[in-house]
């Protein structure tokens, strides 16, 4: 299948979901007519969406409606939006206090993905990490997510700098759980250090990490424990906003 054909199929599948959201239960023939495609094409797209739980057949034969998979995806998106919203004022205060860039990262397909960022008053870099996937073993947020089981350690760890830890045993995940925070010292980029603490969801599981990052000459290894203490306090507050009160 060519790239253009694949894109066309995706566009048509999205159109089906939009039609079902607007119209409710719909027949295959009606969907085919609105999409201006053959009935067999509409049936094939519906079968793929049904396999993913995004649509399901209703009680009437030949009619389809949105499936519970859509609710699952919507719930995940809502939870991420809630996390970004609820953590924002705390991150603003934290960035002002520590003077460094503060990020919120969540686990996604083996990596840590940043969903929110606040630059501190002393930040010198304009780099925007929002939406970017970062390797779990080379970032402080990623190490937190690994330590608490939100991500799994890969068998092979890529080296990004001479200081990147490429041995799973060298990540110190037990120590991270004991002290409640993780750090990186020039492990993703030379000249960049970071520290992070875990954010817990309503059920107590770690769902995200809050981190502070800055140039190594300012966010020195000696300063990391001090910043970590503020991060852990902020992480507890964010966790409480998400419904975790232990």
């Amino acid at each position: 299948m060519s790239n253009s054909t694949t894109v066309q199929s995706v566009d048509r599948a999205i159109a089906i979901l939009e039609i079902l959201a607007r119209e409710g239960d719909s027949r295959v023939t009606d969907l085919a007519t609105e999409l201006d495609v053959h009935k067999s094409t509409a049936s094939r797209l519906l079968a793929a969406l049904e396999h993913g739980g995004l649509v399901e057949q209703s009680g009437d034969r030949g009619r389809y409606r949105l499936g519970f998979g859509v609710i699952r995806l919507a719930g995940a998106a809502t939870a991420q939006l809630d996390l970004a919203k609820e953590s924002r004022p705390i991150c603003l205060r934290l960035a002002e206090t520590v003077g460094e860039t503060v990020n919120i990262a969540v686990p996604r397909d083996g990596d840590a993905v940043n969903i929110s960022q606040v630059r501190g008053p002393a930040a010198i870099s304009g780099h925007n990490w929002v939406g970017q996937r970062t390797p779990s073993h080379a970032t402080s947020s990623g190490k937190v997510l690994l330590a608490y089981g939100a991500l799994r350690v890969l068998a092979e760890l890529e080296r990004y700098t001479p200081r990147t830890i490429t041995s799973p045993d060298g990540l110190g995940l037990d120590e991270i759980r004991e002290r409640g925070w993780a750090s990186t010292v020039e492990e993703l980029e030379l000249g960049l250090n970071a520290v992070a603490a875990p954010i817990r969801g309503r059920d107590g599981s770690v769902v995200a990490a809050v981190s502070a990052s800055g140039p190594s000459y300012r966010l020195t290894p000696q300063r990391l424990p001090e910043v970590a203490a503020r991060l852990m306090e902020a992480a507890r507050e964010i966790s409480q906003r998400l419904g975790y009160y232990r």
Side-chain angles (χ1 to χ4, degrees), residues 171-229:
L171 294 174
L173 302 183
D174 289 338
E175 181 182 356
I176 290 170
R177 286 191 297 271
E178 289 177 6
R179 69 187 183 188
W181 55 275
S183 64
T184 53
V185 177
E186 300 187 279
E187 294 167 41
L188 179 63
E189 294 181 8
L190 291 176
L192 179 68
N193 292 348
V195 59
I199 296 171
R200 298 182 183 274
R202 186 185 302 270
D203 63 356
S205 63
V206 171
V207 297
V210 56
S211 68
S213 59
S216 56
Y217 67 81
R218 190 170 62 228
L219 188 56
T220 62
Q222 294 74 25
R223 190 177 170 225
L224 293 178
E226 168 208 337
V227 176

Side-chain angles (χ1 to χ4, degrees), residues 3-76:
N3 289 338
S4 60
T5 303
T6 301
V7 171
Q8 186 180 53
S9 295
V10 172
D11 288 341
R12 286 171 173 171
I14 293 172
I16 286 176
L17 295 176
E18 291 175 340
I19 293 169
L20 294 178
R22 183 179 71 245
E23 304 293 341
D25 291 14
S26 298
R27 296 183 301 173
V28 178
T29 52
D30 293 335
L31 291 168
T33 298
E34 185 154 354
L35 292 175
D36 193 23
V37 298
H38 194 276
K39 182 180 176 181
S40 63
T41 300
S43 295
R44 186 171 64 252
L45 292 168
L46 285 164
L49 291 169
E50 186 176 19
H51 180 73
L54 300 178
V55 304
E56 60 187 23
Q57 296 191 51
S58 63
D60 297 333
R61 184 175 176 83
R63 298 182 72 91
Y64 285 82
R65 64 189 176 196
L66 291 178
F68 282 100
V70 173
I71 298 175
R72 175 176 53 81
L73 293 176

Side-chain angles (χ1 to χ4, degrees), residues 125-180:
S125 172
H127 188 89
N128 185 359
W129 293 95
V130 175
Q132 291 200 21
R133 303 168 70 95
T134 55
S136 55
H137 68 287
T139 60
S140 59
S141 292
K143 286 184 182 181
V144 164
L145 297 174
L146 288 172
Y148 290 91
L151 288 173
R152 296 179 61 183
V153 182
L154 299 177
E156 296 184 6
L157 304 180
E158 184 176 349
R159 183 177 298 280
Y160 294 91
T161 76
R163 305 198 66 164
T164 304
I165 298 171
T166 56
S167 166
D169 292 339
L171 294 174
L173 302 183
D174 289 338
E175 181 182 356
I176 290 170
R177 286 191 297 271
E178 289 177 6
R179 69 187 183 188

